[in-house]
Amino acid sequence: MLLLIDGHNLISALPDITLDDPNDEAKLVEKLKSYAARTGNRCVVVFDGGIPGGLSRDLSSGRVQAVFAAAARTNADRVLRERIREAPDPGQVMVVSSDREVQVEAEARRMRVLSSEAFAAQLARRSASTPRQKQYEDEWNVHLSPQEIEDWLRLFGQQDTGEEDG
């Protein structure tokens, strides 16, 4: 499933991120990456006020795209409504927003709609239900490049040669 998310709308519904935080978007994207890894869903989160706007390559990853509405020309709600109208498979899209116009547009295309508050509650429940995983992620979250992984496997004699160990 694809989730189209109103980013600042969701941030305002979360208890642990505030819109005053200069890193609020990055914190939300990290939270969504964890959610996407657990669920297998893809997320497109749209934020207001990007200069010049568009996809953020710095924040985006495989399952989560961060998009900024161009500050001078549009806003997140407008970008979301446009994406709702253009979605090729509306039955596979859920829209997360508390903006009524966005919700109406999504409902007209028969998309699932969830308020930002309801989705924030889901995120909180899922985070609370896996405290050991969260502790592990916080304490031991190491990001290795493919080359580093290959080097470690070679060091420990487990390079994939296509042969089974016997």
Side-chain angles (χ1 to χ4, degrees):
M1 173 160 290
L2 171 66
L3 278 74
L4 291 176
I5 301 168
D6 185 332
H8 289 137
N9 203 250
L10 180 56
I11 289 170
S12 68
L14 291 167
D16 56 343
I17 306 175
T18 66
L19 292 169
D20 295 338
D21 185 335
N23 297 314
D24 59 344
E25 291 98 351
K27 289 179 179 178
L28 176 60
V29 169
E30 286 305 310
K31 194 176 281 276
L32 292 173
K33 286 177 183 178
S34 179
Y35 166 82
R38 283 191 314 273
T39 63
N41 291 332
R42 293 179 302 118
C43 301
V44 174
V45 57
V46 182
F47 297 104
D48 290 309
I51 302 171
L55 178 69
S56 169
R57 296 194 192 287
D58 293 336
L59 292 178
S60 298
S61 69
R63 290 198 171 273
V64 178
Q65 288 185 345
V67 176
F68 285 84
R73 294 187 313 248
T74 190
N75 62 36
D77 293 343
R78 210 171 292 143
V79 171
L80 285 166
R81 289 193 313 268
E82 183 178 297
R83 286 180 178 247
I84 289 166
R85 283 190 295 270
E86 295 173 357
D89 190 2
Q92 292 300 310
V93 178
M94 179 167 61
V95 175
V96 176
S97 177
S98 293
D99 181 89
R100 192 64 197 134
E101 289 180 22
V102 172
Q103 291 175 342
V104 167
E105 189 100 29
E107 289 166 349
R109 296 252 7 242
R110 306 232 189 278
M111 294 177 176
R112 293 178 51 198
V113 174
L114 201 56
S115 72
S116 295
E117 294 76 15
F119 187 68
Q122 276 187 11
L123 287 175
R125 274 195 307 276
R126 290 206 174 150
S127 294
S129 67
T130 58
R132 269 190 263 160
Q133 179 181 354
K134 176 149 180 40
Q135 179 182 0
Y136 173 80
E137 289 172 356
D138 290 345
E139 293 178 14
W140 300 100
N141 195 2
V142 177
H143 299 283
L144 298 175
S145 70
Q147 182 61 49
E148 289 170 314
I149 293 170
E150 190 176 311
D151 291 344
W152 279 108
L153 289 172
R154 196 176 308 111
L155 178 68
F156 289 101
Q158 297 195 10
Q159 186 175 15
D160 186 12
T161 61
E163 301 173 6
E164 282 196 34
D165 293 341

